[in-house]
């Protein structure tokens, strides 16, 4: 789950500058999107925001597993039956997702959509599922069962009942695409915030950098750091509203696709990366990998940084992040 309210862009709108900040909030891809551009007038800003909205809606039609007419649905419906020819854009997105799966040892996996939903996070669960139920729930999950043919541009899920979904990467990808499109149209600065998958470019009208306020989910009233976001994306994954406590132990709604067990120990993971797509996937992966393994993996990646808050409220950071305490 992404949390918009853990990430705030800080900006001062002033009439003393020739350009100003214009923002529109709307629901896209089933989530809250805030699209912000820096422009000289409201009419021009709205035209650009409309362009971003159209691009996000186009991507949703391509990757949605809820739309029975989407290419993603066609892939899922042909699992274990036939390869499906897809657009190059979708093929490349799936290819990159598989590379992230390899990078994270399967902690990130778009075939998570195959999991049986045996965990409930609506206060209805009173006991742990059985080991057999958990094992069965992930029987059809595994990125290694996704076969790509680049020459034919086909995708084949080798196991019947297998499914792919882009819930842990799709909004970040949409934010990247909308940003790149607006830049190509001449928009010099702005923010695409897809429910906490936030991508920025350029600077504020007064020349200052965009900044995000990082909050501790266990103490939401106070931000513990303000960090600049310069031509980067930042994504926060959190579980402090969706979890279950069984036998005194807290289980996250973010489930390890390799084992079927929910992640434990972390309540919030914020990742900074060049692209929101990558930050999106890695934020989920860190939850699954845990604090030590997650930070170790992040520290091996150039240009990627991470802030983790554990279930005791302690803050853990990757090696090269610089926090200016508020």
């Amino acid at each position: 789950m992404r949390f918009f309210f853990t990430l705030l862009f800080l900006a001062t709108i002033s009439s003393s500058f020739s350009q100003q900040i214009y923002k529109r909030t709307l629901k896209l891809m089933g989530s809250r999107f805030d699209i912000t551009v820096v422009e000289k007038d409201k009419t021009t800003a709205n035209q650009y925001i409309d362009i971003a909205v159209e691009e996000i809606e186009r991507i949703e039609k391509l990757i949605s597993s809820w739309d029975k007419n989407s290419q993603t649905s066609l892939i899922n419906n042909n699992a274990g039956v036939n390869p499906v020819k897809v657009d190059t854009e979708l093929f490349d997105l799936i290819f990159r997702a598989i590379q992230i799966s390899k990078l994270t040892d399967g902690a990130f996996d778009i075939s998570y959509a195959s999991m049986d939903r045996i965990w409930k996070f609506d206060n209805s669960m009173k006991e742990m599922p059985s080991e057999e139920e958990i094992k069965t729930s992930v029987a059809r999950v595994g990125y290694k069962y996704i076969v790509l043919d680049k020459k034919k541009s086909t995708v084949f899920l080798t196991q019947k009942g297998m499914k792919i979904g882009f819930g842990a990467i799709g909004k970040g990808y949409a934010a990247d695409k909308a940003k790149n499109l607006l830049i190509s149209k001449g928009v010099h600065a702005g923010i695409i915030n897809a429910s906490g998958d936030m991508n920025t470019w350029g600077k504020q009208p007064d020349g200052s950098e965009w900044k995000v306020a990082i909050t501790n989910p266990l103490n939401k009233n106070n931000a513990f750091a303000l960090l600049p976001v310069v031509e980067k994306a930042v994504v926060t994954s959190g579980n402090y509203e969706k979890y279950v406590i069984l036998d005194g132990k807290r289980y996250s709604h973010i489930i390890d696709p390799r084992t079927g067990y929910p992640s434990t120990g972390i309540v919030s993971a914020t990742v900074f990366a060049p692209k929101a797509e990558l930050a999106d996937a890695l934020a989920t992966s860190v939850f699954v990998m845990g604090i030590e393994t997650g930070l170790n993996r992040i520290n091996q990646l150039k240009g990627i940084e991470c802030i983790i808050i554990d279930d005791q409220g302690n803050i853990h950071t990757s090696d090269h992040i610089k926090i200016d305490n508020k």
Side-chain angles (χ1 to χ4, degrees):
M1 174 174 282
R2 302 290 177 257
F3 292 96
F4 168 82
F5 41 81
T6 62
L7 292 169
L8 310 171
F9 75 82
L10 305 180
T12 302
I13 302 177
S14 173
S15 58
S16 63
F17 301 106
S18 59
Q19 292 192 319
Q20 295 189 34
I21 295 171
Y22 297 92
K23 184 176 80 167
R24 187 189 305 171
T25 299
L26 62 166
K27 188 173 183 179
L28 296 165
M29 301 179 75
S31 301
R32 172 175 171 165
F33 272 67
D34 293 276
I35 302 174
T36 302
V37 297
V38 175
E39 274 301 328
K40 61 183 182 297
D41 61 76
K42 186 175 182 180
T43 299
T44 304
N46 279 331
Q47 290 173 345
Y48 284 129
I49 291 173
D50 287 341
I51 290 173
V53 171
E54 289 176 5
E55 177 69 352
I56 294 165
E57 290 176 339
R58 181 190 69 81
I59 292 166
E60 181 177 18
K61 290 178 181 177
L62 182 68
I63 69 174
S64 173
S65 57
W66 299 104
D67 182 350
K68 64 180 181 180
N69 297 314
S70 73
Q71 292 184 18
T72 300
S73 291
L74 192 60
I75 293 170
N76 291 341
N77 292 338
N78 281 274
V81 181
N82 293 305
V84 174
K85 185 175 177 60
V86 300
D87 292 349
T88 300
E89 181 180 7
L90 181 59
F91 183 94
D92 290 345
L93 177 61
I94 294 172
F95 175 81
R96 292 194 301 274
I98 292 174
Q99 300 312 301
I100 296 172
S101 294
K102 293 177 180 178
L103 177 68
T104 61
D105 300 322
F108 172 83
D109 194 328
I110 59 172
S111 70
Y112 79 94
S114 311
M115 286 192 293
D116 294 332
R117 302 297 188 260
I118 60 173
W119 295 91
K120 308 294 181 184
F121 300 96
D122 56 4
N123 296 319
S124 64
M125 281 193 75
K126 303 302 178 185
E127 60 183 18
M128 291 276 291
S130 69
E131 287 188 21
E132 187 60 33
E133 286 176 315
I134 294 171
K135 183 179 179 180
T136 301
S137 74
V138 294
R140 295 183 296 275
V141 177
Y143 68 91
K144 295 178 181 178
Y145 301 138
I146 306 172
V147 177
L148 303 182
D149 187 324
K150 187 171 180 61
K151 287 186 177 180
K152 296 180 180 179
S153 192
T154 60
V155 181
F156 182 43
L157 309 182
T158 63
Q159 309 296 308
K160 280 198 171 184
M162 192 175 173
K163 297 178 183 178
I164 59 172
F166 297 95
I169 196 173
K171 288 191 289 294
Y173 176 64
D176 288 335
K177 293 292 286 185
K179 167 188 170 179
N180 292 338
L181 181 58
L182 290 183
I183 290 174
S184 74
K185 298 291 184 180
V187 180
H188 298 296
I191 300 173
I192 308 294
N193 189 341
S195 293
D197 294 13
M198 188 158 67
N199 211 335
T200 73
W201 72 102
K203 294 185 178 181
Q204 299 185 52
D206 63 359
S208 63
E209 298 168 338
W210 302 110
K211 290 186 177 182
V212 291
I214 309 296
T215 62
N216 188 328
L218 303 181
N219 183 18
K220 292 185 288 185
N221 293 327
N222 296 310
F224 65 82
L226 293 178
L227 295 175
V229 187
V230 183
E231 305 295 333
K232 272 193 172 186
V234 56
V235 172
T236 290
S237 281
N239 78 333
Y240 58 90
E241 288 191 339
K242 288 187 71 176
Y243 60 91
V244 63
I245 297 177
L246 299 172
D247 299 326
K249 190 172 184 179
R250 177 188 179 115
Y251 293 90
S252 164
H253 76 286
I254 299 175
I255 297 174
D256 188 337
R258 303 165 296 186
T259 65
Y261 283 88
S263 59
T264 59
I266 296 175
V267 295
S268 173
T270 299
V271 173
F272 294 79
K275 292 185 177 182
E277 173 190 317
L278 180 58
D280 202 351
L282 289 177
T284 301
S285 302
V286 166
F287 248 92
V288 172
M289 290 187 287
I291 298 170
E292 184 176 351
T293 302
L295 287 179
N296 180 59
R297 194 59 48 91
I298 293 295
N299 285 330
Q300 295 176 44
L301 303 176
K302 185 177 180 180
I304 313 292
E305 300 298 340
C306 181
I307 299 172
I308 297 173
I309 300 172
D310 65 28
D311 55 8
Q312 302 301 311
N314 300 312
I315 300 166
H316 311 261
T317 66
S318 53
D319 287 347
H320 303 294
I321 199 163
K322 295 180 180 179
I323 293 181
D324 296 323
N325 290 327
K326 189 176 178 185

